[in-house]
Amino acid sequence: MAASPLIMPTSSSSSSSMASSFSSLFSRCSVSHKTVLPNDSGSRIYAPNSVKCDMAEPIKYGNGKPIIPIVNERTLPKFLESARLEKSVNRSSPRIKLFSGTANPALSQEIAWYMGLELGKINIKRFADGEVYVQLGESVRGCDVFLLQPTCPPVNENFMELQIVIDACRRASAKNITAVIPYFGYSRADRKTQGRESIAAKLAANLITVAGADRVLACDIHSGQSIGYFDIPVDHVYCEHVILDYLASKTICSDDLVVVSPDVGGVARARAFAKKLSDAPLAIVDKRRQGHNIAEVMNLIGDVKGKVAVMVDDMIDTAGTISKGAALLHQEGAREVYACCTHAVFSPPAIERLSNGLFQEVIVTNTIPVAEKNYFPQLTVLSVANLLGETIWRVHDDSSVSSIFQ
């Protein structure tokens, strides 16, 4: 099913306004992209030709599989070089080290390419009984260390590995340790909804702090209150700008657009997204959850008849909420439905639900690696490597991070 173009204002003045509002790390900047394709051995290979990409066309598919744009030069968009920065970012520091865990090495490599650095040498292995062994392969004494590890499935293994890598860096006398967690597992367990429940998000924050981390950098945490569970600084990276820039490359009149929150809890997220998307109207799917990973759609608040509906959430797990919401939108007369999220958890039976024809396109990022077996024709994967790389530089150089999202 081919994706229809989406979101371009009807007048030239509106188009100019939109171009400025959508300026971000992902479009209208002269950066080189490489096409990522799997080879016969299953490893990643890179097309030798680099092209200057201004996102005039949406990302295409190669052999029915999503293509992930990878920034391999450090050319910055104009808005990042504006006067909003209090001082320029120092990109020649020898005191910065990047280390990758085993959860998402491809994203870690992309971040290193963007920053013009090499990933640090590290030996991570597992004993026969499943215990994790970590040894750094180079000195980090007095260095600013960034550890790249999402706590994606298998969550417990990756979370424990992160703590052990933090401990190894602390015992090797690293000056500062920043845990870069593109996907923060356990973030949904952020409050008690019934008696005698645990608050696992707080426990996870405590464990990362006790392990020796000095700072956390995380993408689109499930709820903002989880940031307060950490007793160390947290930089919250908003990946919606990457998705917004991709949507800006499409060409449907903004009058036909409506942003939909798949549940009441995501209204604030959807409202912020709609405001940046030509101030689109908002609709809300009201649901009643009967149990964990089980959702029942009850009602729709708002008008979607004849419109292009863009459903926005922070993650897609089993896709129960978003697929039932999409079915309701079609029943209420929506012309097309797009699903947008940052974290593609994709627990079974998510793929079956997402590929059954309800969605014109499913747009996710690579904060969590998408297995090749989970590819389907409507899937588009966007890279957040340059966004995270730029944020790491600014943290290292004590520059403003919030100015990226202004």
Side-chain angles (χ1 to χ4, degrees), residues 166-384:
I166 292 173
D167 181 72
C169 292
R170 179 176 62 86
R171 296 180 186 278
S173 301
K175 183 178 181 180
N176 291 298
I177 302 171
T178 300
V180 181
I181 311 175
Y183 170 69
F184 179 47
Y186 289 109
S187 62
R188 284 176 285 184
D190 56 4
R191 65 190 185 278
K192 293 180 68 172
T193 58
Q194 302 178 59
R196 299 177 296 281
E197 281 187 334
S198 67
I199 304 179
K202 172 59 175 173
L203 175 61
N206 288 344
L207 291 173
I208 291 171
T209 305
V210 172
D214 299 296
R215 177 183 293 270
V216 167
L217 194 161
C219 297
D220 287 337
I221 297 177
H222 184 66
S223 63
Q225 68 196 43
S226 298
I227 297 175
Y229 294 157
F230 289 89
D231 296 324
I232 55 178
V234 176
D235 289 301
H236 195 190
V237 177
Y238 300 95
C239 298
E240 64 182 17
H241 298 271
V242 176
I243 298 174
L244 284 166
D245 272 351
Y246 175 70
L247 291 176
S249 69
K250 297 180 175 285
T251 56
I252 281 184
C253 175
S254 58
D255 293 337
D256 293 337
L257 180 68
V258 59
V259 174
V260 181
S261 173
D263 55 32
V264 175
V267 170
R269 181 186 304 107
R271 184 187 294 117
F273 194 92
K275 185 177 181 180
K276 296 171 184 175
L277 204 60
S278 303
D279 202 14
L282 182 67
I284 304 168
V285 176
D286 178 34
K287 72 175 191 291
R288 297 292 185 267
R289 189 177 295 276
Q290 297 176 329
H292 295 295
N293 296 328
I294 301 175
E296 180 182 358
V297 173
M298 299 296 292
N299 199 7
L300 177 68
I301 305 170
D303 180 26
V304 299
K305 188 173 182 178
K307 294 183 178 291
V308 174
V310 179
M311 302 188 74
V312 180
D313 210 346
D314 62 321
M315 69 176 72
I316 296 177
D317 189 354
T318 61
T321 296
I322 205 163
S323 62
K324 290 184 178 181
L328 178 63
L329 293 175
H330 282 293
Q331 291 173 15
E332 296 293 329
R335 189 166 83 243
E336 293 176 348
V337 179
Y338 288 75
C340 302
C341 82
T342 300
H343 310 298
V345 181
F346 288 174
S347 302
I351 303 306
E352 290 79 2
R353 289 170 171 170
L354 295 172
S355 60
N356 64 1
L358 288 172
F359 298 98
Q360 182 76 7
E361 192 171 1
V362 178
I363 304 166
V364 302
T365 73
N366 61 344
T367 56
I368 296 176
V370 180
E372 187 172 339
K373 65 180 182 179
N374 289 335
Y375 292 165
F376 54 95
Q378 296 87 3
L379 178 65
T380 299
V381 179
L382 305 179
S383 178
V384 296

